[in-house]
Amino acid sequence: MSQPLTLPRWIDIGLLPLWNLAIALVVAGLVVLVIGHSPWQALTVLLNGALGSVRGLGYSLYYATTFIFTGLAVAVAIHAGLFNIGGEGQATLGGVGVALVALWLGAKLPAVVMLPLLVIASAFFGMLWAALPAYLQAWRGSHIVITTIMFNFLAAGLNGYLLVNWLRPAGSMAVESAEFAESARMPALHQIAAALGYELPSSPLNLSLVIALIACVLVGWFLWRSAAGYAVRAVGSAPRAAHYAGIRPRAQVLIAMAISGALAGMVGINEISGVQGKLTLDFVAGAGFTGIAVSLMGRNHPVGIILASLLFGVLYQGGVEVSFELQGFSREMVVTAQGLIVLFSGAMATVSAPLFARIYAAIKGGRHG
């Protein structure tokens, strides 16, 4: 009996996602046409709003930065055979960690010391919040999906409690913390450009993008170049075989989820330190769930996740412009179009894969024939 053909990486993480994206855009265009708008006009407005100006590009990259963190978080867990849908809660706790350190030490330490501490705090708090469900699954048999869902709500409740009872300035009615000191603010791109003598339009894009790209390199090295990453992937592929090979599955579950939570927690750097400058209630705004689609579309590979994050960044920024520019085109319609892209680019990826496998097998057979 012949073995199933494995697609080469350039098809798996390159051509296949592009094919799924093309199908998604066609279906989304049909939906736009049905509701009485021109698909071409909507696409033009979307691309111009997201990529047609330096400011629009800055916003698109700002959204993409958050999605890189949450997409990597999901991918690391998937390689360990786990489905971490607790990115929302882990990112929330990462923001809480950033706020606590910023409010405690921001006025005492310079930025060169403060900013690395904030990165560490965000990663540590996110890691801790993910390690708890990992422990419950590895040593108590609780299902990781159920516990991470529960921990999302727990994180939101804890964040609200801290803001209302401890971090909100006296006399303020707004449910948000005090403003951070300047040393606890991640430098924005236009601020860095101004320091170098260049002028750029203001946007929320900040130094967190560089941290996200470094995280991609480190995750790629960890998963495919380190012994620890091999152990994680071995447990994800065949836990019993890994156990007989001397690898402890329980420990790998804990390691993978801790890394996953740390990555999700660093959303707090981009959103809280880089943009808000204070802790707010709902700063994650669904990015943890979007990270699932980003990881699936990126085939759980750092390069694919970067490309998928750019796509979703463009969709988020361009979607706002479409809802403003096209009369009668509501934000809900934009979300519907985004949902179709998630469906076809993520969930439907396995539907197109057999077709590509047959085509590739035919081409490969023809060359050898």
Side-chain angles (χ1 to χ4, degrees):
M1 184 176 179
S2 61
Q3 296 295 322
L5 182 66
T6 301
L7 289 172
R9 297 295 288 174
W10 66 271
I11 294 180
D12 191 32
I13 67 173
L15 190 57
L16 184 57
L18 288 176
W19 169 260
N20 293 324
L21 174 61
I23 296 176
L25 290 176
V26 170
V27 176
L30 292 176
V31 172
V32 172
L33 188 63
V34 167
I35 61 179
H37 290 278
S38 166
W40 181 253
Q41 183 185 14
L43 180 62
T44 302
V45 172
L46 186 147
L47 292 178
N48 284 336
L51 303 174
S53 65
V54 176
R55 187 189 299 274
L57 179 60
Y59 272 88
S60 298
L61 291 176
Y62 149 69
Y63 289 123
T65 301
T66 290
F67 300 147
I68 288 174
F69 284 130
T70 56
L72 288 174
V74 174
V76 170
I78 287 178
H79 281 291
L82 305 167
F83 194 35
N84 177 20
I85 59 174
E88 289 282 304
Q90 294 146 23
T92 299
L93 261 291
V96 169
V98 168
L100 293 178
V101 174
L103 294 173
W104 178 34
L105 298 174
K108 304 175 185 177
L109 298 175
V112 68
V113 177
M114 195 67 214
L115 295 181
L117 284 179
L118 295 181
V119 175
I120 294 171
S122 65
F124 176 76
F125 274 68
M127 177 183 68
L128 181 63
W129 203 248
L132 294 173
Y135 169 81
L136 291 175
Q137 165 151 331
W139 277 272
R140 291 293 181 265
S142 302
H143 200 288
I144 198 74
V145 171
I146 302 301
T147 52
T148 49
I149 289 175
M150 293 171 60
F151 271 62
N152 284 339
F153 292 101
L154 291 173
L158 177 60
N159 184 36
Y161 171 79
L162 291 174
L163 284 173
V164 170
N165 295 283
W166 295 95
L167 301 180
R168 184 173 55 172
S172 173
M173 296 299 293
V175 185
E176 57 189 30
S177 74
E179 296 274 352
F180 297 167
E182 193 62 32
S183 64
R185 299 295 302 270
M186 191 65 66
L189 179 63
H190 64 274
Q191 294 173 332
I192 297 173
L196 297 175
Y198 299 95
E199 184 177 351
L200 290 177
S202 63
S203 75
L205 180 63
N206 59 81
L207 204 58
S208 300
L209 175 61
V210 177
I211 299 174
L213 295 177
I214 293 173
C216 288
V217 174
L218 294 177
V219 167
W221 173 84
F222 170 76
L223 288 174
W224 287 282
R225 293 290 184 269
S226 70
Y230 174 81
V232 166
R233 290 189 296 116
V235 169
S237 300
R240 287 191 176 184
H243 174 72
Y244 285 115
I247 299 173
R248 295 184 298 167
R250 286 179 173 177
Q252 302 311 314
V253 167
L254 193 59
I255 290 171
M257 282 297 293
I259 295 173
S260 178
L263 290 164
M266 284 194 283
V267 169
I269 293 296
N270 188 38
E271 299 291 341
I272 297 301
S273 175
V275 179
Q276 305 287 350
K278 55 190 174 184
L279 183 62
T280 58
L281 266 180
D282 190 27
F283 67 91
V284 182
F289 296 114
T290 304
I292 298 173
V294 167
S295 181
L296 291 175
M297 184 176 180
R299 312 300 286 166
N300 305 316
H301 190 282
V303 175
I305 287 170
I306 291 174
L307 297 176
S309 297
L310 290 173
L311 170 65
F312 278 89
V314 168
L315 289 175
Y316 268 64
Q317 171 58 20
V320 173
E321 296 294 330
V322 169
S323 63
F324 284 148
E325 295 292 333
L326 297 186
Q327 187 175 4
F329 202 102
S330 66
R331 179 63 182 166
E332 287 72 22
M333 297 175 186
V334 174
V335 173
T336 300
Q338 292 171 347
L340 288 170
I341 292 175
V342 171
L343 173 65
F344 283 93
S345 299
M348 297 294 287
T350 55
V351 175
S352 300
L355 172 64
F356 276 82
R358 287 194 296 269
I359 294 174
Y360 179 69
I363 295 174
K364 191 174 181 181
R367 288 178 179 175
H368 290 294

